[in-house]
Amino acid sequence: MSRRVRIRFDERGLTEIMRLPEVRAALHNKAEEIAGRARSIAASEVDDDFASQIRVSDETRPSGRPVAKVEATREDAPDHEWGSTNTERRRVLGRAGNVQPQTIFPDRADRP
C-alpha cells in the first residue's frame, strides 16, 4: 500500500526570501516588460505624452511583500483605462499585463 506524501508549506524565512535583491530585480524586470508593452499601446492608441508618463514603481507592502507596479501617472489615465463619458475605454495597462477585468472586478464581467 502506497503512502501519500504530505507537503506542508513553512512560512518561516519567506519574508527574507521575498526581500532578496534577486526577487526584487525579477519583479522589477517583469514590471518593466509590462510597462514597455503599455507604452507601445499608449503611443499608438492615445499619444506619446501618455506613453511617456507610464512608469514602474517599487515598494514594499506593510506585510513585507515587495511589489513592482506599472502606473500611468497622467491625470486622465483612469479615463483611458476604464472609459468615461468623453473618453473611450482602452485598458492600456490591463491589456499590457494581460489582465482580464472579470478576474479582478467581477462586477465588470459583462463588459468587453
Side-chain angles (χ1 to χ4, degrees), residues 51-70:
S52 71
Q53 293 189 45
I54 294 175
R55 295 179 171 69
V56 172
S57 67
D58 298 307
E59 60 186 51
T60 303
R61 298 255 167 98
S63 65
R65 184 168 62 100
V67 176
K69 296 192 304 187
V70 180

Side-chain angles (χ1 to χ4, degrees), residues 18-77:
M18 288 189 307
R19 291 183 180 155
L20 288 173
E22 296 86 357
V23 172
R24 288 186 171 277
L27 290 170
H28 184 85
N29 291 341
K30 185 63 174 178
E32 284 292 349
E33 177 186 317
I34 293 168
R37 286 195 301 266
R39 288 182 195 108
S40 178
I41 293 169
S44 67
E45 296 184 12
V46 183
D47 59 43
D48 290 336
D49 178 60
F50 187 86
S52 71
Q53 293 189 45
I54 294 175
R55 295 179 171 69
V56 172
S57 67
D58 298 307
E59 60 186 51
T60 303
R61 298 255 167 98
S63 65
R65 184 168 62 100
V67 176
K69 296 192 304 187
V70 180
E71 302 173 305
T73 58
R74 197 161 93 169
E75 188 175 311
D76 63 347

Side-chain angles (χ1 to χ4, degrees), residues 1-6:
M1 189 153 92
S2 66
R3 294 171 36 158
R4 297 180 104 179
V5 175
R6 295 190 76 183

Side-chain angles (χ1 to χ4, degrees), residues 61-105:
R61 298 255 167 98
S63 65
R65 184 168 62 100
V67 176
K69 296 192 304 187
V70 180
E71 302 173 305
T73 58
R74 197 161 93 169
E75 188 175 311
D76 63 347
D79 294 341
H80 287 290
E81 190 69 17
W82 301 110
S84 69
T85 55
N86 299 324
T87 307
E88 181 181 347
R89 178 178 185 228
R90 298 193 187 277
R91 293 206 10 85
V92 172
L93 299 178
R95 287 170 37 213
N98 198 24
V99 176
Q100 302 300 316
Q102 59 271 23
T103 63
I104 54 174
F105 296 112

